[in-house]
Amino acid sequence: MKTIDELLSEGVGGKRVFVRADLNVPLDGTTITDDGRIRAVLPTVKALAEAGARVVVASHLGRPKGAPDPAFSLAPAAARLGELLGATVEFATDTVGESARSTVAGLADGQVAVIENLRFNAGETSKDDAERGAFADQLAELADLYVGDGFGAVHRKHASVFDLPARLPHAAGYLIANEVAVLKKLTEDLHRPYVVALGGAKVSDKLAVIDELLGKADRLLIGGGMAYTFLKAKGYEIGKSLLQEDQVPAVREYIERAEKTGVELVLPVDALVSTGFPDLKTKAPANPTTVAADAIPADQQGLDIGPETRKLYASKLADAATVFWNGPMGVFEHPDYAEGTKAVAQALIDSKAFTVVGGGDSAAAVRLLGFDEDAFGHISTGGGASLEYLEGKTLPGLAALED
């Protein structure tokens, strides 16, 4: 995989460089609530601009239906990128139309532009190779070189991620190179004990990675909404807690496999419960109660791991040499249900392990809850991509960057 440093050494001055970034930031209207992904691509954009390239940054945002939708415009992300760069960033109001062509044509050496949300064009996400390829052909007309730096999208076989690199000389940006180096530490250069903490809402989202980790991890800690399907598989009463009934047989089989292979599978021993879901807008007090994990009342639902589980999980992380964490332990957006996620984050900071926060809600929680990002070994920008890499899958966006 060619690196951006190699590309820079060959000279990029005056050349149009298409940077496939991941600017898929959360928005409250037009206000960005977490700019982590924009900050993550800054080193690549800065290096290219300082070398005299004419930088064309492209990304998706949200899930528009293949047509323009103002709610998913990249205009706020472009403005924030300009603020972080301390320079004017031009913005094209389409992807490959007149605005994009004229904006790119008007760039001077060292200038940066952002084109509109790639998913406003149906060709970006099309499953039809010809339609996707046709869009990639149009994107290729905007550039001389391609740099892939949107790690959060490399598991997608999309035009700008998979097809476009085949049409232009290409290299991996600093972000992707760093993400891959870190993930290799979790797969090829592993230091043990290797502990994995998994949370989030749906166990179905994590089944494939659990299947892979049962042969690699020394210890698995399960939290979040997915934990209740595990507790149900153990025969426990879980009340109105989130349950994927159809996944119970698979989960039961994983519990049995863990016992046979000697992988320590750790489940919650208590939970914070309530009769209803908390109001995440007003953050009104939820007044939860704490109950044993095997005795959640029929009219209650579990919304966070309890205090005893927090202590248990901290102890299970304390002796680790390597830790991967993906998924919050509860509804961390509400202060009454944030303590479980805080406890896991703090345990990672307190440990001497090489710690990796696996993107998505975990990365958002670290920032929302006020933790110092530098206190962790690595915070990934791609939750889904990280998981698929750990599953052993070939990621289209990485395969496309290979020479």
Side-chain angles (χ1 to χ4, degrees):
M1 187 181 292
K2 190 173 188 177
T3 67
I4 186 173
D5 284 333
E6 292 175 85
L7 195 69
L8 291 167
S9 70
E10 295 168 0
V12 296
K15 294 183 178 180
R16 302 168 302 163
V17 183
F18 189 103
V19 177
R20 200 336 179 157
D22 179 10
L23 308 182
N24 185 27
V25 292
L27 294 172
D28 182 2
T30 59
T31 301
I32 296 170
T33 57
D34 181 356
D35 67 356
R37 285 178 170 169
I38 301 175
R39 288 186 284 112
V41 79
L42 282 178
T44 291
V45 174
K46 278 184 176 179
L48 290 167
E50 289 172 358
R54 303 176 182 191
V55 187
V56 182
V57 180
S59 176
H60 71 285
L61 193 153
R63 296 179 182 272
K65 307 297 183 182
D69 183 339
F72 297 106
S73 175
L74 277 175
R80 181 58 179 153
L81 178 62
E83 291 173 357
L84 293 169
L85 288 171
T88 299
V89 169
E90 303 297 329
F91 181 65
T93 56
D94 56 29
T95 55
V96 291
E98 176 56 35
S99 180
R101 291 192 298 270
S102 62
T103 298
V104 173
L107 289 176
D109 294 358
Q111 284 193 314
V112 179
V114 173
I115 63 174
E116 186 55 284
N117 192 336
L118 292 163
R119 292 185 183 177
F120 284 1
N121 189 303
E124 169 67 2
T125 59
S126 176
K127 296 188 183 302
D128 181 83
D129 291 349
E131 184 180 10
R132 217 175 48 247
F135 183 49
D137 288 339
Q138 291 178 293
L139 291 172
E141 293 175 6
L142 300 175
D144 305 303
L145 303 168
Y146 176 95
V147 172
D149 215 30
F151 182 73
V154 293
H155 58 315
R156 306 295 187 190
K157 191 177 181 180
H158 291 169
S160 65
V161 176
F162 178 75
D163 302 272
L164 184 55
R167 289 157 168 78
L168 295 169
H170 51 265
Y174 292 122
L175 172 61
I176 278 187
N178 188 40
E179 293 273 13
V180 171
V182 167
L183 288 170
K184 282 184 177 179
K185 290 184 179 181
L186 301 181
T187 53
E188 299 173 16
D189 187 25
L190 191 60
H191 294 270
R192 298 183 180 278
Y194 177 29
V195 182
V196 178
L198 294 176
K202 295 182 178 180
V203 70
S204 56
D205 293 340
K206 304 291 197 306
L207 284 179
V209 76
I210 292 171
D211 184 64
E212 186 71 17
L213 289 170
L214 282 174
K216 292 184 177 178
D218 298 298
R219 193 177 295 147
L220 287 176
L221 314 181
I222 305 296
M226 61 183 284
Y228 302 102
T229 299
F230 276 83
L231 295 173
K232 185 70 172 180
K234 296 272 287 184
Y236 297 162
E237 172 57 57
I238 63 167
K240 297 193 299 181
S241 303
L242 185 64
L243 170 66
Q244 288 187 282
E245 189 79 52
D246 60 326
Q247 303 298 333
V248 169
V251 167
R252 189 175 291 124
E253 190 264 329
Y254 285 163
I255 293 172
E256 293 170 357
R257 268 180 58 195
E259 292 175 354
K260 291 177 182 176
T261 58
V263 175
E264 187 179 0
L265 182 62
V266 188
L267 300 178
V269 295
D270 60 352
L272 293 187
V273 301
S274 178
T275 55
F277 199 81
D279 189 324
L280 299 183
K281 285 191 176 292
T282 66
K283 307 290 175 68
N287 301 315
T289 55
T290 302
V291 299
D294 61 355
I296 297 174
D299 65 339
Q300 306 272 315
Q301 59 180 313
L303 295 165
D304 193 15
I305 57 174
E308 292 305 314
T309 305
R310 291 174 222 152
K311 295 176 188 175
L312 173 65
Y313 285 12
S315 72
K316 297 296 183 180
L317 290 162
D319 66 343
T322 306
V323 177
F324 176 73
W325 170 36
N326 179 279
M329 296 292 108
V331 186
F332 71 92
E333 300 93 338
H334 192 285
D336 286 353
Y337 300 106
E339 293 304 317
T341 302
K342 282 183 181 179
V344 168
Q346 189 62 52
L348 264 65
I349 292 172
D350 293 341
S351 80
K352 295 180 180 179
F354 174 65
T355 56
V356 179
V357 180
D361 284 342
S362 307
V366 164
R367 289 187 277 269
L368 180 68
L369 299 175
F371 288 98
D372 179 2
E373 294 180 50
D374 293 335
F376 301 88
H378 178 73
I379 298 180
S380 177
T381 57
S386 296
L387 288 176
E388 291 197 15
Y389 190 101
L390 294 183
E391 289 167 24
K393 290 184 176 179
T394 297
L395 305 188
L398 296 185
L401 294 175
E402 298 289 349
D403 295 326

